[in-house]
Amino acid sequence: MKKAIPVFAFAILAAATAVTLSNSWIVPGINLWQTKLVGDNSYFPALTIFILALPPLLLLLAIKWWVQKRSL
């Protein structure tokens, strides 16, 4: 499991990047929110990737913490 966590994290980032670049159904909403937040009709794809990847990465962190705590 120790080597699987970084692989899963990389897979999550790759999937978030693929979703961002494919302009899936959720991406235009995030980009619209960014343009309203910035105010100059620009958005940042890296921020979109981060927003999409953050919840699964936090879940992965919780799983890692649980597995480490259980093995002690």
Side-chain angles (χ1 to χ4, degrees):
M1 186 70 169
K2 197 174 204 179
K3 297 199 184 239
I5 297 291
V7 172
F8 286 140
F10 184 75
I12 290 169
L13 288 173
T17 303
V19 169
T20 299
L21 296 178
S22 70
N23 209 14
S24 185
W25 62 273
I26 197 166
V27 174
I30 295 171
N31 292 342
L32 182 64
W33 172 75
Q34 286 184 49
T35 58
K36 288 180 183 177
L37 189 67
V38 174
D40 62 352
N41 288 336
S42 65
Y43 64 92
F44 305 100
L47 183 58
T48 304
I49 293 168
F50 177 73
I51 290 169
L52 289 173
L54 187 62
L57 285 174
L58 289 174
L59 179 64
L60 187 64
L61 181 67
I63 291 170
K64 179 182 176 185
W65 175 77
W66 179 72
V67 167
Q68 285 180 348
K69 189 165 180 106
R70 186 173 169 213
S71 69
L72 291 178

